Amino acid sequence: MKLLSLFLLLISFLDAKTLSRTQVIMSTFVTITTNERDADFITDGFEIIKEVEMSLSSYNPDAKIYQLNKNRHVKLDSLSHEALLLSKKYYLQTDGYFDITVGSITKDLYRFGENEHIASLDELAGANVDFGALRFNEKEAFLEEGVKVDLGGMGKGFGVDKAAEYFRSKNAKSAVIAASGDIRCISLCRIEVQDPLKEDDVLLSFETLEDDMGITTSGNYNRYVASTKNNHLIDPKAKKPQSLFVSITLVSHLLSSDLDAYATAASVMPLKKAYRFLDSLEVGYIVLQSDGKLVVSKNISEFTKNLLIRDTLKKQP
C-alpha cells in the first residue's frame, strides 16, 4: 500500500520564522504549519482534528460511525450529524457517485493495510450499496442491515475545515493545515504534487492565487491491494474500483470537505461525465488520466499562478 503524498512549501508570505508539526491522525500524516506568533494554536488544531476522527471513524469502537455500522443505530453528535448532512448533499450533487454506503465494499470486501483482501466479482455483485438505507436526523441515525457507512471520501477534508475554522477564529494570518491529500492554505502557499507514475518526482507545482484556498488530490495510487487496479476509489454504481484516472487535483475557495468529496466522486465517474461535473464547479482542476493524458482546466489561472508541469507530460489545451 502506498500513501498519497503532497509536498507543501510555504513561500515568503510569512514574515516571522515558521513552525511545522506533524501527527498521525485519521490514519494519515497531518501537518500544521504557522508562524511563531501563532504556534500556540497548533496543539489545539490537532485536538480538533482528533475530535473529528473520534466522531467519523469507522475503525475506532468509540466513534459514532463505527457504532452506527455495528449497532445499526447511534445517537449523533454535532460533528457526525454535520458530516452526514454534507454527505447527503454530495450524494445528490454527484448523481449518486459520492455514496458513503460503499462501506460494505471498502470495509468488508476490500481490506487495505493489515489482512489485505481482494474482492471477487461475485462478492462485489452481492455488495449492498444503498444511500436510502441510511436515515438520520439531528439526534440519531439508523442503518439497515447489510449496509455500512464509510466517510473516508470527505472526512479528512472535513477535519481540515474544522481546524481552519479554529485558526480563523484566532485571527491567525499564516497557517496551513495538511492532511495527506487535503490542504487548506489560510495564507498564500506553494504546492508540489507527487508524480504518481514516478516515485520521488514532482508532477507539478503552483502557488495559490489568494488567501484561504483549498487543494485536494484524489488518486488511485493512494491505497490499493496488490496493484492500483484494486484501489480504494469505489464506483458505487458499478461496485468496483475506478480505472480511468490516476489523480485529480482540485483548487478552489470551496470548503475542503467539498473538494474532498468532489474529487472522490469525479474519480469514479465515466470520463465525459467527470469533466462535465468538474466544469460545473467553481474549481480549477488538473487531471492525470490512466492513459497518461494530463488535462488542465481552462480556468486554472483563476485559482493558481506560476503553474509548472513536469516536462515529460505536456499540458493539454
Side-chain angles (χ1 to χ4, degrees):
M1 180 178 71
K2 295 175 68 175
L3 293 176
L4 175 65
S5 298
L6 274 84
F7 303 101
L8 178 149
L9 301 173
L10 303 185
I11 54 176
S12 58
F13 64 85
L14 295 179
D15 296 328
K17 293 182 179 179
T18 62
L19 181 65
S20 183
R21 294 178 183 167
T22 300
Q23 293 188 16
V24 177
I25 312 174
M26 304 183 85
S27 301
T28 193
F29 294 106
V30 176
T31 299
I32 299 178
T33 304
T34 186
N35 59 25
E36 290 185 338
R37 185 198 66 181
D38 298 327
D40 291 342
F41 303 142
I42 292 179
T43 298
D44 288 339
F46 283 132
E47 290 305 310
I48 289 169
I49 298 175
K50 289 176 183 177
E51 288 178 11
V52 171
E53 180 180 31
M54 279 303 302
S55 182
L56 307 191
S57 174
S58 54
Y59 294 100
N60 191 314
D62 295 325
K64 295 295 183 179
I65 298 304
Y66 180 97
Q67 293 170 5
L68 175 62
N69 286 334
K70 180 180 179 181
N71 301 323
R72 309 285 115 189
H73 170 246
V74 70
K75 298 290 185 180
L76 296 175
D77 57 19
S78 61
L79 290 172
S80 55
H81 176 247
E82 183 180 356
L84 290 179
L85 274 179
L86 286 171
S87 297
K88 183 176 181 179
K89 180 186 80 167
Y90 302 144
Y91 176 81
L92 296 173
Q93 287 179 329
T94 63
D95 191 27
Y97 279 95
F98 182 88
D99 190 338
I100 60 175
T101 63
V102 295
S104 60
I105 297 176
T106 58
K107 299 302 173 188
D108 292 337
L109 301 185
Y110 278 101
R111 291 195 293 272
F112 306 96
E114 295 182 5
N115 301 316
E116 289 184 340
H117 175 72
I118 298 175
S120 69
L121 294 178
D122 287 342
E123 287 176 322
L124 291 170
N128 193 352
V129 179
D130 180 9
F131 196 89
L134 170 66
R135 294 178 291 111
F136 65 93
N137 55 40
E138 188 174 358
K139 295 182 178 180
E140 56 190 343
F142 301 87
L143 192 62
E144 294 179 11
E145 288 293 335
V147 178
K148 284 192 176 181
V149 168
D150 181 355
L151 289 170
M154 58 80 71
K156 293 182 180 65
F158 186 74
V160 167
D161 282 334
K162 293 305 177 184
E165 286 178 10
Y166 169 76
F167 276 91
R168 292 189 201 101
S169 73
K170 297 298 183 180
N171 296 315
K173 301 299 182 182
S174 303
V176 178
I177 303 105
S180 186
D182 296 290
I183 297 173
R184 196 80 201 177
C185 296
I186 294 177
S187 36
L188 299 176
C189 61
R190 177 171 176 261
I191 301 294
E192 293 184 348
V193 178
Q194 174 189 327
D195 184 347
L197 303 179
K198 189 176 181 182
E199 194 169 354
D200 299 326
D201 202 353
V202 174
L203 174 64
L204 57 94
S205 66
F206 58 84
E207 297 168 20
T208 54
L209 192 61
E210 300 176 7
D211 290 346
D212 208 345
M213 298 190 75
I215 303 95
T216 287
T217 290
S218 178
N220 66 8
Y221 60 102
N222 182 4
R223 296 172 66 208
Y224 58 84
V225 181
S227 77
T228 55
K229 292 181 180 179
N230 305 303
N231 64 81
H232 73 295
L233 293 168
I234 303 298
D235 177 348
K237 298 178 183 292
K239 298 182 182 179
K240 63 180 182 180
Q242 71 89 14
S243 59
L244 296 177
F245 302 103
V246 177
S247 67
I248 294 179
T249 296
L250 305 183
V251 189
S252 176
H253 290 290
L254 295 176
L255 291 172
S256 291
S257 58
D258 289 351
L259 297 177
D260 197 1
Y262 297 152
T264 298
S267 294
V268 301
M269 289 178 179
L271 194 70
K272 291 182 179 180
K273 186 177 183 70
Y275 285 114
R276 285 197 302 268
F277 173 67
L278 292 176
D279 287 332
S280 74
L281 304 172
E282 295 180 5
V283 303
Y285 60 79
I286 304 163
V287 177
L288 180 58
Q289 298 178 183
S290 296
D291 61 7
K293 182 179 180 181
L294 190 70
V295 180
V296 180
S297 64
K298 295 178 180 179
N299 66 346
I300 194 67
S301 61
E302 298 177 16
F303 303 95
T304 70
K305 61 182 178 180
N306 298 328
L307 174 64
L308 298 174
I309 299 175
R310 186 165 63 86
D311 290 340
T312 53
L313 288 169
K314 302 300 182 182
K315 182 172 69 173
Q316 302 298 316

